[in-house]
Amino acid sequence: MAQILAPSTQCQARITKISPVATPISSKMWSSLVMKQNKKVARSAKFRVMAVNSGTINRVEDLLNLDITPFTDSIIAEYIWIGGTGIDVRSKSRTISKPVEHPSELPKWNYDGSSTGQAPGEDSEVILYPQAIFKDPFRGGNNILVICDAYTPQGEPIPTNKRHKAAEIFSNPKVEAEIPWYGIEQEYTLLQTDVKWPLGWPVGGYPGPQGPYYCAAGADKSFGRDIFDAHYKACLYAGINISGTNGEVMPGQWEYQVGPSVGIEAGDHIWASRYILERITEQAGVVLTLDPKPIEGDWNGAGCHTNYSTKSMREDGGFEV
């Protein structure tokens, strides 16, 4: 649990100014140890192979970090939507001819809903409507992440499109007048890739009992801090209203807070933050789970606590309201 302070004035629908020299997150941070080892080239064939692979990685890194802004006005927009399970995030990229500031400037797009569990094979087209824009911390520059919701070609929201109904509620004048605040506390667990066992835990075994791990520091108590910290900075770069982070009770478990956010902005920001976390753990070679009970037994669960208030609740007499 964490205290959530006053809301920021930012709006998810606009980007004020994107620096053309912004530096995207690099996978070098995850491979630094390997790279350091590769510099110590021995005479054996094994280490010579590692050195060659190192050069290949460096060339790919050069392209990933390439700043295209001096050469083209075009940007890359990553269209993001929620898949058929209701908890998975999907995305695809497209070129936009010039930088944009508002979702209304972006074209609608489509995808194969039969591949995401959102449409039958014989009628699989689903249309993406851009709804919120964030700066892209992975590609940098003027490139953007775009939160979308999904519709049939006839313009009807598909069954898994919960945002459409939420937008109707939040646009009601009575609701708008109450300025609803949300502060969302997202807990998550990091898992080892091949065994799907929490990061820092002995494979097939258990760490010491809970107690020393919450908000802790130390190699024997804190597992995955680089991921947690990279996510924090990436969210701030993107324009997400992230307000804090902390280590959680179970080792390998973390939490961050988004908000206070007003109305539907809360949903757009939490989903963008989840997508960024998925991408960072992908680069780190670690599996992310939002499972509310990832480990059975006397181990802390992972929730998404939501703090809520209205204008009437925040004013004098709000307790009675």
Side-chain angles (χ1 to χ4, degrees), residues 64-236:
L64 285 172
N65 296 329
L66 190 64
D67 180 14
I68 63 173
T69 51
F71 309 102
T72 179
D73 291 331
S74 296
I75 64 167
I76 302 171
E78 191 76 19
Y79 280 47
I80 302 164
W81 70 96
I82 302 169
T85 66
I87 59 172
D88 58 316
V89 283
R90 308 289 181 123
S91 73
K92 55 190 295 191
S93 310
R94 71 176 295 165
T95 303
I96 305 297
S97 60
K98 62 179 182 179
V100 298
E101 292 188 348
H102 194 274
S104 62
E105 300 175 59
L106 291 166
K108 296 174 184 175
W109 206 9
N110 66 323
Y111 68 94
D112 173 16
S114 68
S115 298
T116 62
Q118 294 173 295
E122 65 274 10
D123 186 17
S124 63
E125 186 175 36
V126 180
I127 311 300
L128 291 170
Y129 287 32
Q131 300 292 358
I133 293 175
F134 299 89
K135 293 180 288 187
D136 187 341
F138 303 101
R139 295 186 173 110
N142 291 323
N143 302 301
I144 55 176
L145 305 177
V146 185
I147 295 294
C148 305
D149 58 354
Y151 298 79
T152 68
Q154 294 73 37
E156 295 294 323
I158 64 173
T160 55
N161 181 355
K162 310 301 183 184
R163 191 189 188 282
H164 175 78
K165 184 63 177 177
E168 288 184 345
I169 294 170
F170 285 119
S171 63
N172 183 299
K174 292 182 179 180
V175 176
E176 286 185 333
E178 283 290 346
I179 316 175
W181 286 4
Y182 291 86
I184 302 176
E185 305 171 36
Q186 177 68 71
E187 296 172 342
Y188 62 93
T189 308
L190 300 174
L191 304 178
Q192 301 170 50
T193 307
D194 297 325
V195 294
K196 300 295 179 66
W197 200 237
L199 202 64
W201 290 35
V203 177
Y206 295 88
Q210 293 179 155
Y213 311 107
Y214 175 69
C215 296
D220 58 339
K221 297 180 286 293
S222 177
F223 310 111
R225 185 181 295 277
D226 284 352
I227 294 170
F228 144 97
D229 222 28
H231 178 249
Y232 197 172
K233 291 182 177 179
C235 285
L236 287 171

Side-chain angles (χ1 to χ4, degrees), residues 4-51:
I4 302 225
L5 304 177
S8 70
T9 56
Q10 69 179 40
C11 174
Q12 89 286 358
R14 298 190 64 84
I15 295 179
T16 54
K17 185 176 181 181
I18 303 176
S19 170
V21 294
T23 303
I25 288 178
S26 168
S27 59
K28 283 182 179 176
M29 66 175 66
W30 316 121
S31 58
S32 60
L33 178 59
V34 175
M35 299 298 289
K36 288 176 183 176
Q37 291 172 341
N38 290 346
K39 290 179 182 177
K40 300 176 182 178
V41 180
R43 293 185 178 182
S44 69
K46 177 180 178 182
F47 282 97
R48 282 199 298 272
V49 170
M50 288 181 70

Side-chain angles (χ1 to χ4, degrees), residues 6 183 238 288 299:
L288 167 70
W299 297 100

